[in-house]
Amino acid sequence: MIKKYLIVGSGLFGAVFAHEAAKRGNKVTVIEKRDHIAGNIYTKEVDGIQVHQYGAHIFHTSNKEVWDYVHQFADFNRYTNSPVANYKGHMYNLPFNMNTFTQMWGIKTPQEALAKINEQRQEMAGKEPKNLEEQAISLIGRDIYEKLIKGYTEKQWGRKATELPAFIIKRLPVRLIYDNNYFNDDYQGIPIGGYTKMVKNMLDEPNITVELNTDFFDKKEEYLKNYDKIVYTGMIDKFFDYKLGELEYRSLRFETEEKNIDNYQGNAVINYTEAEIPYTRIIEHKHFEFGKGDEGKTIITREYPADWKRGEEPYYPVNNARNNELYKQYRELAQKESSRVVFGGRLGQYKYYNMDQVIAASLESVKDEFDKQ
Ligand code: FAD
Ligand code: UDP
């Protein structure tokens, strides 16, 4: 039976679901409160450069199904993320690998590096790490923790490293080879021509209508009445009018500048790891596409972490015990609505998803919706 779907949000979760619902012959309306599609992966061309408007986005995955899936909508370049850290003017390669250890300690071999790391880990010997600081020291030792982790992390999360959960730091790989690839995944790249074009291709189906500058909450009851099914990718607590309390988020402020030079910093991403500099990183957008852009021009963006309050962009869910517990209660409310509303994505599922994970989650919801009867 053909159904009428309303997709709230044109980010990756919404766009994948919209595409799949439309392909199955359903009538799909996508509403988006911003003035553009693609959610946080939106890219905009300025001076021939694809500008990542909401922060650096590098596609990486080991999920072959997802990698094949996105290739229907875009070709990818061979960009490999290899950020560099600037700590008080000294440059260190990331992630933590032989290049970093050589720069930090002047050592040359994996054996020397391991000996140094083990010596530094001693202060945590026999203790179970209880917070991010202890986790970092037991993983890599105090020198690297103090110079490359502490300042960055405390700026990013607005809290002391001793008050943060250990799991945040488990994402960072440690390698005893000279390899600056930030990710361990099998596949990596940036869609040629930008992410917006990729999402536009997902939404480019005759039975999909997109309405920009349209907020679900302006006509919530009407939408619930007029559509067979709603796929909601906004904040889950807001959907229920915050009736169980507010979930917490971290926000960001981006400061973008056009420079009349060809090459500002020589790398797409430079992290500023000391506490005294208020931003966490500077992105130079053209380096995601190997310098493509108008001659004599480059665009850079400084990323400042910020506290979140209602009305600001909720970039990161804060998955601590209090918020996860509250989310569980909201999810129970959501389950009661499941015959008419699907909750999805970073905000709808309150999860720190990467792009590949959000696509996989959306395809999972598609399966639940269409293949399990
Ligand atoms: P979103 O992209 O947030 O889309 C939700 C959409 O819903 C938005 O467009 C919003 O405007 C709209 N919306 C919300 N409420 C309403 C409403 N009431 N009415 C109408 N519309 C509404 N992932 C990676 O894999 N690699 C990276 O390098 C990477 N870097 C990142 C860097 C930053 C700074 C951030 C914040 C995230 C990064 N991510 C990265 C994660 C990636 O952005 C997400 O996984 C992905 O964008 C989530 O898609 P989504 O559809 O769930 O959410
Ligand atoms: N991190 C750090 N120093 C760095 C980069 C990252 O200490 O130079 C820590 C920080 O706590 C951050 C976590 O590692 O929150 C995860 O970083 P990643 O770059 O994977 O996360 P993103 O911000 O891109 O989601």
Side-chain angles (χ1 to χ4, degrees):
M1 194 188 71
I2 293 177
K3 283 190 188 167
K4 270 171 67 186
Y5 283 84
L6 178 76
I7 315 286
V8 182
S10 63
L12 262 183
F13 191 99
V16 167
F17 199 106
H19 179 82
E20 293 302 319
K23 237 177 52 184
R24 288 163 174 78
N26 297 289
K27 202 168 170 320
V28 181
T29 303
V30 178
I31 57 168
E32 169 56 59
K33 68 176 179 186
R34 297 179 184 169
D35 62 2
H36 59 74
I37 59 163
N40 287 343
I41 68 171
Y42 174 67
T43 48
K44 177 178 165 190
E45 190 172 317
V46 182
D47 297 335
I49 300 164
Q50 292 299 331
V51 173
H52 295 211
Q53 193 97 342
Y54 302 95
H57 278 80
I58 300 104
F59 199 95
H60 57 98
T61 189
S62 290
N63 184 332
K64 176 84 164 55
E65 196 190 326
V66 166
W67 186 239
D68 290 342
Y69 185 81
V70 289
H71 277 79
Q72 295 175 72
F73 310 106
D75 291 325
F76 281 69
N77 70 18
R78 57 144 199 87
Y79 178 80
T80 300
N81 197 30
S82 43
V84 175
N86 180 327
Y87 176 76
K88 303 198 169 168
H90 295 279
M91 309 303 275
Y92 298 92
N93 286 109
L94 295 173
F96 309 133
N97 74 89
M98 284 303 297
N99 288 307
T100 332
F101 307 140
T102 301
Q103 291 147 355
M104 186 71 60
W105 298 313
I107 54 87
K108 294 187 184 65
T109 66
Q111 292 74 21
E112 289 171 304
L114 198 56
K116 192 80 192 165
I117 292 169
N118 283 338
E119 173 197 314
Q120 296 238 328
R121 281 168 167 162
Q122 273 310 309
E123 66 174 286
M124 276 300 294
K127 286 186 234 157
E128 187 59 34
K130 287 187 303 293
N131 55 48
L132 192 144
E133 175 168 306
E134 294 184 358
Q135 175 70 37
I137 293 170
S138 71
L139 199 68
I140 199 74
R142 186 165 284 275
D143 284 352
I144 288 185
Y145 168 67
E146 297 281 352
K147 290 185 174 160
L148 302 182
I149 298 175
K150 187 173 190 288
Y152 186 100
T153 300
E154 294 186 344
K155 286 191 279 191
Q156 169 90 343
W157 297 101
R159 259 177 244 177
K160 293 258 168 280
T162 47
E163 290 161 17
L164 284 164
F167 81 87
I168 295 178
I169 213 74
K170 284 189 187 143
R171 286 161 62 97
L172 292 180
V174 176
R175 293 208 193 100
L176 290 173
I177 51 173
Y178 287 93
D179 178 2
N180 298 325
N181 180 356
Y182 199 61
F183 300 117
N184 283 324
D185 281 326
D186 295 342
Y187 312 106
Q188 184 171 176
I190 305 269
I192 296 168
Y195 286 96
T196 306
K197 191 168 136 198
M198 177 176 95
V199 174
K200 191 167 179 294
N201 288 338
M202 290 177 176
L203 297 174
D204 193 14
E205 291 286 325
N207 41 346
I208 298 182
T209 311
V210 179
E211 294 171 14
L212 299 177
N213 303 306
T214 306
D215 193 319
F216 175 70
F217 294 102
D218 289 344
K219 288 196 282 183
K220 180 177 173 191
E221 292 314 316
E222 208 178 307
Y223 288 129
L224 284 166
K225 220 167 52 219
N226 293 343
Y227 286 86
D228 299 310
K229 197 90 187 226
I230 290 181
V231 175
Y232 176 82
T233 71
M235 291 158 60
I236 188 167
D237 51 353
K238 186 165 184 193
F239 184 93
F240 294 107
D241 206 15
Y242 306 101
K243 70 176 169 198
L244 305 174
E246 255 186 29
L247 290 164
E248 291 169 304
Y249 302 86
R250 283 294 285 162
S251 197
L252 295 170
R253 185 167 60 80
F254 298 104
E255 223 175 67
T256 296
E257 225 184 290
E258 183 188 46
K259 298 259 182 205
N260 293 322
I261 48 170
D262 271 319
N263 187 358
Y264 175 74
Q265 62 180 16
N267 204 32
V269 184
I270 301 209
N271 291 357
Y272 285 79
T273 56
E274 68 207 73
E276 292 74 16
I277 291 181
Y279 44 86
T280 47
R281 48 191 170 190
I282 301 183
I283 323 172
E284 187 170 10
H285 300 267
K286 63 171 15 176
H287 296 309
F288 290 119
E289 296 197 281
F290 312 107
K292 190 169 160 279
D294 296 351
E295 221 182 292
K297 295 276 179 203
T298 194
I299 311 274
I300 62 161
T301 301
R302 292 185 178 82
E303 187 174 317
Y304 295 81
D307 289 336
W308 176 85
K309 50 186 184 318
R310 270 191 215 184
E312 282 169 21
E313 282 298 336
Y315 287 104
Y316 296 101
V318 179
N319 289 112
N320 59 22
R322 179 254 177 208
N323 291 326
N324 287 344
E325 184 47 45
L326 183 56
Y327 168 66
K328 244 169 59 195
Q329 295 171 26
Y330 274 116
R331 202 179 53 198
E332 278 164 27
L333 290 183
Q335 268 150 7
K336 289 190 191 131
E337 298 277 338
S338 65
S339 61
R340 53 178 197 158
V341 187
V342 173
F343 290 81
R346 260 203 172 191
L347 305 174
Q349 294 174 315
Y350 197 67
K351 226 188 229 153
Y352 195 127
Y353 274 136
N354 278 323
M355 290 180 273
D356 61 327
Q357 296 168 316
V358 106
I359 292 170
S362 187
L363 291 173
E364 204 49 47
S365 295
V366 165
K367 240 190 245 164
D368 288 344
E369 179 70 12
F370 300 107
D371 303 341
K372 291 183 192 155
Q373 293 303 335

